[in-house]
């Protein structure tokens, strides 16, 4: 069905179930409880989960399939954001044209960057992509301020033309919408001590993410994907056979850049502003961490990696010493202060330390990322079930 094998179809259904039930899954603790700090089922964070999942899926098409490590993918994220915000300023606040233009512009820009950078491979390719990203950031930050808004960025204004939209009512502000349905529209469902939020923008972004995930599956399973794996395995040997691999690697680079542009357009659709910080080198490094942490070369790995990093960035970073003291208030004073002193460097502003330790552990013990960890657990449970079955069988 839909050109997918049974295992890929099951994987797509699993991802669809996870994103559909995210408001319930991400709010496991009642509101007002001490553990509610770990709830992540609010619209802004759920949107970030799926948007950066798209970003990581696209990056994985380049890095996971071809082995080309780009340190400049944030440039396409930023270019897509600027294209989307200008579409909202000039044409309409409907998110469809903005998203389409963000993909097209990011694709064209990635053709230019890829044509230059793919003349080299290995570390030289990585450095070239990093240089392009930093040049793009500098242009957006200072040189092209009439187009990018410089340090302050851009956002829709009441005075913008928006030739396809009607006049706004007095005192109204322009809001992103999908044929009249505002991205910020939400519905709260209260059950006992729990509050679950269903946000229109999140589910629209989730549908786009599912479509992107489906497309990634088709790419991975296609002859094109097989060619990309051959490039990763031994590109030099392929060149010796007389096969020109550059068109294939350029195609993978452009597809990956278009995914990044799509993520940038969705970021603007959910939060109508764009700034140069989205093109900074740290944003490019973040998507590399997401992909490796989840499992480079796997289908669902980058999505898991994006979820883990965004969860830590938005949840773990908000835990301060006061919250820790409230958790360990049952301890004697000296023991409470000692426990807080031990844990505090790893949370709050020090959440990057925890991320770094987690990343090192994954690279050392789970080279295949979180996906490999899940596979090992499943294999272990499978062996245990087989042993239990053999132990209960009567002896002959």
């Amino acid at each position: 069905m839909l050109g997918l094998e049974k295992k890929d179809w099951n994987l797509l259904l699993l991802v669809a179930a996870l994103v559909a039930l995210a408001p319930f899954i991400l709010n496991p603790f009642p509101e007002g409880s001490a553990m509610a700090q770990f709830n992540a089922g609010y619209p802004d964070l759920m949107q970030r989960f799926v948007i950066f999942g798209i970003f990581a899926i696209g990056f994985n098409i380049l890095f996971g399939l071809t082995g080309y490590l780009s340190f400049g993918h944030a440039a396409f994220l930023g270019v897509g954001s600027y294209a989307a915000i200008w579409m909202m300023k000039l044409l309409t606040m409907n998110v469809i044209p903005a998203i389409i233009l963000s993909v097209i512009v990011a694709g064209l820009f990635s053709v230019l960057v890829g044509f230059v950078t793919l003349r080299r491979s290995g570390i030289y390719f990585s450095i070239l992509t990093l240089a392009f990203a930093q040049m793009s950031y500098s242009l957006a930050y200072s040189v092209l301020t009439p187009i990018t808004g410089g340090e302050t960025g851009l956002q829709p204004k009441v005075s913008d033309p928006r030739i396809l939209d009607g006049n706004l009512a007095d005192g109204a502000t322009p809001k992103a919408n999908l044929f009249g349905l505002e991205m910020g529209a939400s519905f709260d469902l209260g059950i006992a001590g729990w509050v679950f939020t269903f946000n229109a923008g999140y589910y629209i972004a989730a549908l786009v993410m599912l479509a992107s995930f489906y497309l990634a599956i088709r790419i991975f399973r296609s002859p094109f994907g097989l060619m990309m794996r051959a490039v990763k395995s031994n590109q030099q040997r392929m060149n010796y056979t007389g096969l020109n691999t550059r068109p294939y690697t350029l195609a993978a680079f452009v597809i990956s850049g278009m995914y990044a542009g799509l993520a940038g357009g969705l970021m603007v659709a959910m939060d109508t502003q764009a700034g140069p910080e989205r093109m900074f080198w740290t944003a490019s490094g973040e998507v590399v961490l997401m992909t490796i942490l989840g499992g480079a070369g796997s289908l669902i790995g980058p999505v898991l990696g994006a979820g883990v990093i965004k969860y830590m960035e938005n949840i773990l970073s908000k835990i301060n010493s006061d919250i820790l003291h409230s958790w360990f208030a049952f301890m004697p004073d000296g023991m409470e202060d000692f426990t807080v002193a031990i844990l505090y460097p790893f949370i709050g502003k020090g959440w990057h330390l925890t991320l770094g330790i987690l990343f090192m552990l994954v690279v050392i013990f789970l080279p295949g990322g979180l996906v490999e960890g899940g596979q090992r657990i499943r294999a272990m449970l499978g062996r245990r079930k087989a042993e239990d079955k053999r132990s209960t069988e009567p002896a002959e």
Side-chain angles (χ1 to χ4, degrees), residues 38-372:
F38 294 101
N39 287 348
Y42 54 91
D44 180 66
L45 182 52
M46 291 193 298
Q47 291 167 8
R48 287 179 176 272
F49 283 156
V50 295
I51 291 173
F52 278 91
I54 294 172
F55 190 20
I57 290 170
F59 180 80
N60 189 46
I61 291 175
L62 176 67
F63 176 55
L65 283 181
T66 70
Y68 277 77
L69 178 58
S70 169
F71 284 136
H73 252 52
F76 310 123
L77 183 77
V79 166
S81 295
Y82 281 121
I85 200 70
W86 273 108
M87 181 61 76
M88 289 185 174
K89 291 171 73 67
L90 298 178
L91 192 65
T92 176
M93 290 300 295
N94 191 318
V95 299
I96 297 297
I99 292 173
I100 293 175
L101 185 66
S102 67
V103 174
I104 294 173
V105 173
L108 293 175
F109 185 54
S110 61
V111 170
L112 172 63
V113 176
F115 183 78
V116 176
T117 58
L118 288 170
R119 294 176 180 273
R120 295 292 181 267
S121 60
I123 188 61
Y124 302 105
F125 167 80
S126 301
I127 292 174
L128 282 173
T129 55
L130 176 61
F132 264 102
Q134 284 304 100
M135 286 190 294
S136 301
Y137 168 77
S138 298
L139 288 172
Y141 191 84
S142 58
V143 180
L144 300 178
T145 51
I147 299 175
T148 63
E151 181 181 2
T152 58
L154 293 174
Q155 59 185 2
K157 299 179 181 178
V158 177
S159 58
D160 292 332
R162 278 185 295 278
I163 58 177
L164 295 184
D165 290 350
N167 295 328
L168 294 173
D170 292 339
T173 57
K175 295 182 179 180
N177 65 83
L178 179 64
F179 303 109
L181 176 63
E182 293 184 5
M183 296 297 98
S186 298
F187 167 72
D188 291 335
L189 174 64
I191 301 177
W194 282 264
V195 177
F196 306 107
T197 302
F198 302 89
N199 174 255
Y202 163 72
Y203 280 104
I204 290 171
L207 287 174
V208 177
M209 194 272 279
L210 287 175
S212 303
F213 189 72
Y214 167 75
L215 180 59
I217 294 176
R218 295 299 302 270
I219 291 174
F220 268 65
R221 303 297 185 230
S222 68
F224 173 77
L226 184 62
M227 182 66 71
M228 291 299 95
R229 289 188 177 89
V231 169
K232 182 178 181 179
S233 177
N234 197 323
Q235 185 176 3
Q236 189 175 21
R237 182 177 295 176
M238 293 182 67
N239 290 332
Y240 285 158
T241 65
L243 179 64
N244 184 9
T245 59
R246 282 196 62 193
Y248 295 98
T249 54
L250 180 60
F253 191 89
V254 172
I255 293 171
S256 183
M258 293 173 74
Y259 267 81
L262 174 61
L266 282 171
M267 290 177 71
V268 171
M270 302 303 131
D271 182 16
T272 52
Q273 58 181 345
E277 71 280 353
R278 292 179 184 174
M279 309 173 81
F280 198 55
W281 68 268
T282 53
S284 297
E286 192 175 58
V287 75
V288 176
L289 292 179
M290 291 174 182
T291 306
I292 296 176
L293 183 63
S298 63
L299 285 165
I300 199 173
V303 180
L304 296 177
V308 169
I309 289 182
K310 286 301 164 183
Y311 182 88
M312 295 178 68
E313 178 183 342
N314 290 271
I315 301 299
L316 197 64
S317 65
K318 292 182 180 179
I319 302 176
N320 54 37
S321 59
D322 293 336
I323 294 176
L324 286 178
H325 279 291
S326 68
W327 287 350
F328 300 104
F330 64 91
M331 294 181 173
D333 291 343
M335 182 66 69
E336 175 188 338
D337 293 339
F338 176 77
T339 304
V340 172
I342 293 297
L343 294 178
Y344 186 68
F346 299 92
I347 60 172
K349 295 181 179 180
W351 74 271
H352 287 96
L353 178 59
T354 304
L355 176 61
I357 294 173
L358 176 62
F359 184 74
M360 286 192 298
L361 292 174
V362 166
V363 170
I364 294 171
F365 299 105
L366 294 174
L370 299 176
V371 169
E372 182 182 342

